[in-house]
Amino acid sequence: MTSAWAQVSLSLPPRPLSIVLRQLSETTGVQHRASGIVADRWVFVHVEDKPAASIRQALAAASGAEVTGNDADGWSFRGGFGNDAGIEAARVLLSENPPPPPLTAEEARETLLQMRPETGQEMGQNRLDAARLTRLWESGLDRRLGLRLLHILGPAELASIPDGESRVYSPNPNALQVPMPAGYLPAFQLLLQEMSLVRRVAPTIPQAEEGASYGVFGFSQMQFTQPLPTSALLVVQKMMAGMMSVSVVLRNERREMLSGNGGFQLMPRGSEFGVEPSEPDPLSQKLAALALPLEAEAGEKAFYTFIQSAMGGAGRAGDDLRQAGLQHLATVDRQEPLDGLPARGLRLIAREMGGSLVAPVSDLTWMYAGIGFGRPEPAGTLTTAGLATILAGGMGLSRSKEDRPQMMDGILVCRRGAIEALMPEPSDRRLIARVAQRLLQGGRAGLDSVADLSLLMADGGESPFVTIILQGFMGAGLMTGADPDLLAAYGSLSTAERAAARGPQGFILQGAALAAPGRSRIMKLLGPGNAMGGSGWQPPRPRPGEEERTEMSRMEEAASNLHVTDRYGDRLGRAALRFRVTNEVVWHMSNNQQMPMMEMDINRIGWQILAATDPEQPDFAQYMGTPQTWRFVQAPVERLTVELAGVGPIVARVAAVPDLAGREPLVGIAALPAEFKAEIAAWLKENSRNYGRQSPPSIPGLPNP
């Protein structure tokens, strides 16, 4: 058995903590083990001649683990066992956002005074100090009720909500909701008392009702005159890095939503996400400045050079480079990519910084191992700049002083802090390889590839590879009109079910089959898409022979006064979903400058022309350009349509995957087919008055309307 203070050397490529500890056990003769979430957290270790106790301390900091034990009985690294980590995170979040005391008449009067019209004008001139704005924001009655209900639910319940998911709490739950906690009724009655108090105080303050339109107390002016609500829903969405999005939905006796319902977000104060970085310390500055040259194998170099090009660092990459990069991706299920250039780069940094380094790693380590973060390096030049930037706390994210890199007994230790909380653990290598192989065979990204990656993103948190492959290897503008939840639902279908969706009848799920095991991604389509209750369902596109409806009429038809979970949950047993995949050839348009390619039909092109030629909307024309600058291309599209029936009027959600790779846009609007241009001119003649125009605009290249 090695003494606790004997000198130990340990060097491993990025691996889960459990594997690193196994190697440490063999090296020292002392048992080391990990349990809970920390066992699967990946770390990099390169340590030369350091005490075992110092290595344990460094590994604990890099993985976020707690260490207990002794040399005789062994050492245990624990953290996040079961749901403990999530419960602790929720407990801290609640402690930082305590439930507010009951509103007093004096507080209501002071808030209303601050929100009079003249004060609202000051707000527009940015003269309200931050503390005052915070007080006004925290005065929201919806926020007050939401915080009280969150505390009643407690940390364990909040921790049980999966990341990226929403949960709807209701006093009378249906199949898409869960019961409100036992303390809901007193909290709701307190809300009614506070609303009544504000209504009594408001008339005593000149023009206070107008101030309500600025959002005083979180509700609109209409809610000061309509009857008091009779019930409420609480919608909680778990977001990344411990953040939560919360919405309170007030309802009348018919469960119709009252106007003005709002939402708020809770963010751990220690995360510092989105905060201006604090002054860096000398160690972080030295680390961030490292840009040591890296040697790469041919496949690695093609992969990173293509990423540099896709991110705008070196112009448009050629097909040969894309093909070589894809061939590298197609092997990641057999050869762990973190073992290659990322590990070599981290070892170089370790030697430059004193010889020893222990750091958390993730897919971002792989992605940015060859990226220079805007440094003026020629395409294909690979350095440690990207790795050093991540380790030092760059990428626009700041670290608290406790989370900054530190020297511990001669070991440079990068702690698992705010940045690593945003880092996904390594993604499913088999899925990445399968998509790359499919792209190599077919040369383009089809619906099935996009759905597979959307499922990866939905199940595992957003992966850098979703971004890389979709925006780079799959082609820019791919996700125009995409619906991630819809694509993930399709991705969860079996091969046979996907094949049925391409048939004349489509693939149909109905009744109890919707809630069967393994259908959680499909059930999510029926719930709120976010904490505000948005669902994405719209009336379906008209089939051939049906009269086309304008976007406005379609939106009005889809509008409902019921929350989406109220609308569908009561009748889930009668619901039916039809998945249909069709192949079409449609027009896409871009202004060839800022805007990506967008799918266009006659209706959309017409509205774009009217808006771009409206002298009262100069900002729109400045962004979109004039119709003469637009470029068009006709491209095949795989369109996924999911129709929902049995719970009211048929509604649908749509995602389109176009094949735009290698297609040159037409010169301009004048080059469109004559028949298509005639349809555009006819639409402008028929709809210009609806837009407030006395006559249709005259567009060079189009027939006179």
Side-chain angles (χ1 to χ4, degrees):
M1 179 186 299
T2 302
S3 165
W5 300 105
Q7 301 296 295
V8 175
S9 294
L10 185 67
S11 183
L12 289 172
R15 287 293 182 270
L17 178 64
S18 58
I19 295 178
V20 173
L21 293 179
R22 188 186 310 159
Q23 184 63 44
L24 182 60
S25 299
E26 294 177 4
T27 303
T28 61
V30 176
Q31 185 67 36
H32 295 78
R33 63 184 68 87
S35 57
I37 294 174
V38 297
D40 296 323
R41 288 177 177 167
W42 285 51
V43 293
F44 169 81
V45 181
H46 183 83
V47 178
E48 298 177 350
D49 299 326
K50 300 299 177 185
S54 299
I55 297 176
R56 279 193 294 271
Q57 181 185 22
L59 287 172
S63 64
E66 295 181 1
V67 183
T68 58
N70 53 63
D71 284 351
D73 301 322
W75 295 91
S76 177
F77 286 65
R78 296 173 60 88
F81 189 78
N83 202 29
D84 289 351
I87 293 175
E88 176 62 16
R91 186 195 65 76
V92 172
L93 193 65
L94 291 176
S95 68
E96 294 173 347
N97 297 273
L103 183 70
T104 66
E106 183 59 32
E107 289 172 333
R109 179 178 177 80
E110 180 182 351
T111 302
L112 288 167
L113 281 170
Q114 293 182 69
M115 296 302 289
R116 288 182 302 176
E118 60 266 29
T119 304
Q121 184 177 5
E122 290 178 7
M123 181 182 295
Q125 298 171 358
N126 298 317
R127 291 209 296 264
L128 283 177
D129 61 84
R132 188 177 180 187
L133 284 173
T134 299
R135 287 196 304 271
L136 294 175
W137 174 65
E138 292 180 347
S139 71
L141 297 183
D142 55 345
R143 188 176 190 275
R144 299 168 77 92
L145 175 60
L147 286 176
R148 290 164 185 154
L149 292 176
L150 291 178
H151 279 267
I152 294 172
L153 289 171
E157 170 64 21
L158 295 176
S160 70
I161 303 174
D163 289 344
E165 300 285 333
S166 295
R167 185 170 293 173
V168 182
Y169 297 88
S170 171
N172 47 353
N174 57 35
L176 297 178
Q177 301 164 339
V178 297
M180 276 283 193
Y184 155 76
L185 192 56
F188 181 71
Q189 290 173 340
L190 179 56
L191 169 76
L192 298 183
Q193 294 172 14
E194 291 176 329
M195 292 187 75
S196 298
L197 173 64
V198 172
R199 292 184 180 193
R200 291 197 303 271
V201 173
T204 68
I205 298 174
Q207 298 179 312
E209 290 85 357
E210 294 182 40
S213 65
Y214 292 104
V216 64
F217 293 111
F219 296 116
S220 72
Q221 182 177 357
M222 185 178 297
Q223 286 179 311
F224 281 77
T225 58
Q226 64 188 189
L228 290 172
T230 59
S231 65
L233 300 176
L234 177 70
V235 188
V236 182
Q237 182 183 24
K238 186 82 72 66
M239 304 170 71
M240 68 177 184
M243 293 185 288
M244 289 184 187
S245 183
V246 184
S247 177
V248 172
V249 180
L250 299 181
R251 308 184 298 178
N252 61 20
E253 67 280 359
R254 295 184 298 277
R255 295 191 301 171
E256 295 171 338
M257 295 186 294
L258 302 179
S259 63
N261 291 291
F264 58 95
Q265 289 187 354
L266 299 180
M267 178 187 303
R269 292 174 187 170
S271 71
E272 299 183 276
F273 180 67
V275 178
E276 187 69 22
S278 54
E279 188 68 26
D281 60 289
L283 181 62
S284 296
Q285 288 181 315
K286 179 181 178 181
L287 179 59
L290 291 181
L292 309 172
L294 278 171
E295 295 296 326
E297 299 175 356
E300 286 180 321
K301 188 165 186 177
F303 174 75
Y304 285 115
T305 304
F306 186 90
I307 295 174
Q308 288 176 340
S309 302
M311 294 178 69
R316 184 178 178 84
D319 290 340
D320 292 344
L321 191 62
R322 174 181 180 272
Q323 198 78 354
L326 280 174
Q327 289 171 352
H328 173 70
L329 275 178
T331 66
V332 298
D333 57 337
R334 303 188 299 275
Q335 179 65 45
E336 172 53 52
L338 285 167
D339 290 355
L341 185 137
R344 294 195 296 275
L346 290 169
R347 283 193 289 269
L348 280 176
I349 292 173
R351 294 181 183 123
E352 186 71 17
M353 297 296 291
S356 297
L357 169 67
V358 177
V361 297
S362 71
D363 272 350
L364 286 182
T365 313
W366 179 14
M367 174 178 175
Y368 286 113
I371 304 300
F373 283 96
R375 303 191 185 199
E377 297 166 352
T381 300
L382 305 179
T383 73
T384 60
L387 290 172
T389 301
I390 291 176
L391 295 176
M395 297 170 58
L397 301 175
S398 60
R399 292 180 184 267
S400 64
K401 292 182 179 179
E402 295 77 12
D403 285 339
R404 288 174 175 171
Q406 297 179 10
M407 296 299 297
M408 296 182 176
D409 296 333
I411 303 174
L412 175 60
V413 179
C414 296
R415 294 177 176 272
R416 185 181 178 90
I419 295 175
E420 286 73 34
L422 300 176
M423 288 185 176
E425 301 298 333
S427 305
D428 186 339
R429 305 302 195 226
R430 292 171 299 178
L431 178 57
I432 294 170
R434 185 168 75 240
V435 172
Q437 291 160 5
R438 188 178 291 158
L439 289 173
L440 281 170
Q441 295 167 2
R444 65 171 292 267
L447 173 62
D448 287 330
S449 297
V450 177
D452 285 342
L453 284 168
S454 296
L455 187 61
L456 170 66
M457 182 169 58
D459 288 342
E462 184 165 351
S463 163
F465 298 101
V466 175
T467 303
I468 291 172
I469 297 175
L470 288 182
Q471 295 184 355
F473 291 101
M474 287 186 172
L478 172 71
M479 301 305 289
T480 299
D483 181 334
D485 289 338
L486 185 64
L487 289 166
Y490 177 77
S492 71
L493 299 182
S494 68
T495 301
E497 291 167 345
R498 293 190 193 189
R502 295 178 180 274
Q505 302 301 318
F507 172 66
I508 299 175
L509 274 176
Q510 56 188 354
L514 288 170
R519 299 298 191 187
S520 61
R521 286 292 151 201
I522 293 175
M523 282 291 289
K524 187 179 179 182
L525 295 178
L526 301 176
N530 50 60
M532 301 300 290
S535 68
W537 294 102
Q538 295 288 337
R541 288 164 43 126
R543 292 184 172 86
E546 293 182 343
E547 182 179 353
E548 175 67 75
R549 292 166 291 181
T550 66
E551 285 295 317
M552 186 60 67
S553 68
R554 287 158 55 87
M555 292 173 63
E556 290 172 351
E557 182 178 335
S560 170
N561 287 329
L562 296 179
H563 188 266
V564 60
T565 56
D566 282 334
R567 189 158 67 245
Y568 300 144
D570 292 344
R571 293 169 283 182
L572 190 61
R574 301 196 300 272
L577 286 177
R578 182 201 301 268
F579 289 76
R580 301 179 68 234
V581 178
T582 55
N583 292 282
E584 307 170 20
V585 177
V586 298
W587 287 99
H588 290 75
M589 185 192 86
S590 172
N591 66 0
N592 211 25
Q593 296 173 4
Q594 301 162 308
M595 188 180 67
M597 279 287 179
M598 297 192 305
E599 183 179 329
M600 286 287 162
D601 56 19
I602 296 294
N603 187 57
R604 289 178 180 173
I605 293 176
W607 283 113
Q608 296 279 353
I609 290 175
L610 289 177
T613 58
D614 187 347
E616 296 183 1
Q617 297 192 50
D619 292 341
F620 186 88
Q622 182 177 1
Y623 171 72
M624 286 289 300
T626 64
Q628 289 76 28
T629 67
W630 298 346
R631 299 294 180 264
F632 295 84
V633 62
Q634 204 170 25
V637 166
E638 286 183 287
R639 192 181 310 283
L640 168 65
T641 302
V642 178
E643 293 181 339
L644 171 63
V647 293
I650 294 178
V651 289
R653 290 168 70 160
V654 179
V657 179
D659 179 11
L660 296 170
R663 298 180 180 276
E664 293 298 327
L666 296 177
V667 175
I669 197 168
L672 292 172
E675 182 179 351
F676 193 48
K677 291 191 292 184
E679 292 181 27
I680 297 174
W683 189 97
L684 291 172
K685 181 177 181 179
E686 181 179 348
N687 292 277
S688 290
R689 287 188 178 275
N690 297 334
Y691 197 76
R693 306 283 285 271
Q694 294 299 317
S695 60
S698 178
I699 307 298
L702 290 182
N704 290 326

